[in-house]
Amino acid sequence: MERPAMEKKRNLHKYIQIIPIIGVLFFLVLVIWAYQHGIFESTDSLQRFIQQFGGYAVGIFVVLQIVQVIIPILPGGISSVVGLLMFGNFFGLLYSCIGLIIGEVIGFLLVRYYGVSFVRLILSPKKYQKFDQLVTKKTKDIKKILCVTLLIPFAPDDLVCLVAGLSKLSFKDYIQIIILLKPWSVGIYSMLMLFLFQKAQGHF
């Protein structure tokens, strides 16, 4: 009687392990489809894509922010600018923060659970090389490095968050740092990107 129960538990554990990987692969397919249809080419194309969902636009935007933390799919800052343009400065920043914080938490947990194999799946060879260097040299100081990269706009905080998943940093400490500092990082980054976007459009 015990063996069938143990086998069921093992099978369930295998399914639980596979589901997130399937999810990532599914999103990779969606990303390829979106690139082929030019959705990520500009703020206008991304805005049109999100607007077509009507009342679900906020949810789609938040999901997009979650996904792009785990799978880097957009040119730097394009989604943040779209959020500000579509929902206004306050709500655009709020929705960006919600999505990006959730994404950082999911990314951390996936790396902690699946290890380097998951990182190899989602990063380009160039980014993986940077990731590997950080893991080799900076894991002991990860808490300090995470805080610094979240405070400095345009620093590679997403990459450092993945490294944190392989470190001894506790999930409690990690989530406290992310909730405290990520809104600052998102706010400064988004407003700078909006300023640059508007300047490029001739609004200044």
Side-chain angles (χ1 to χ4, degrees):
M1 290 293 289
E2 289 182 6
R3 274 188 186 174
M6 287 179 67
E7 284 179 9
K8 282 182 181 180
K9 283 184 179 179
R10 284 199 203 100
N11 290 333
L12 182 61
H13 185 66
K14 285 179 183 178
Y15 292 138
I16 290 170
Q17 283 186 310
I18 292 169
I19 287 169
I21 299 296
I22 292 172
V24 170
L25 291 173
F26 173 72
F27 280 120
L28 280 171
V29 171
L30 284 180
V31 168
I32 293 167
W33 176 86
Y35 267 117
Q36 289 176 341
H37 288 76
I39 290 169
F40 301 138
E41 284 181 356
S42 67
T43 52
D44 290 336
S45 60
L46 183 58
Q47 201 169 343
R48 285 194 299 271
F49 172 72
I50 295 172
Q51 282 174 335
Q52 72 180 346
F53 293 96
Y56 298 102
V58 172
I60 295 298
F61 176 74
V62 170
V63 168
L64 186 65
Q65 293 292 69
I66 293 170
V67 172
Q68 80 150 347
V69 173
I70 303 168
I71 309 171
I73 56 177
L74 298 170
I78 186 173
S79 60
S80 298
V81 171
V82 167
L84 296 177
L85 293 173
M86 288 186 68
F87 309 113
N89 290 352
F90 176 77
F91 286 105
L93 287 174
L94 177 64
Y95 301 147
S96 282
C97 285
I98 290 170
L100 294 172
I101 288 172
I102 293 171
E104 300 287 18
V105 171
I106 292 172
F108 176 90
L109 292 173
L110 286 171
V111 173
R112 179 144 292 184
Y113 194 79
Y114 292 102
V116 175
S117 58
F118 175 77
V119 181
R120 284 184 181 276
L121 178 68
I122 63 172
L123 292 183
S124 65
K126 188 177 179 180
K127 282 196 172 184
Y128 179 77
Q129 190 176 9
K130 290 181 181 178
F131 168 85
D132 192 46
Q133 289 171 354
L134 280 169
V135 170
T136 305
K137 299 175 182 178
K138 305 293 186 181
T139 308
K140 290 180 181 177
D141 303 318
I142 195 64
K143 191 172 183 178
K144 186 194 297 182
I145 293 168
L146 183 59
C147 291
V148 170
T149 53
L150 285 168
L151 287 170
I152 300 174
F154 302 100
D157 57 301
D158 290 350
L159 205 59
V160 176
C161 287
L162 293 177
V163 175
L166 291 178
S167 73
K168 293 181 180 179
L169 183 67
S170 71
F171 179 69
K172 182 182 177 182
D173 285 345
Y174 174 79
I175 202 166
Q176 284 176 347
I177 292 169
I178 292 297
I179 290 173
L180 183 64
L181 298 181
K182 190 68 178 180
W184 160 267
S185 173
V186 174
I188 298 295
Y189 181 81
S190 298
M191 296 309 293
L192 280 172
M193 290 304 301
L194 180 63
F195 172 77
L196 293 172
F197 173 77
Q198 290 178 333
K199 191 173 182 180
Q201 297 292 312
H203 293 171
F204 290 102

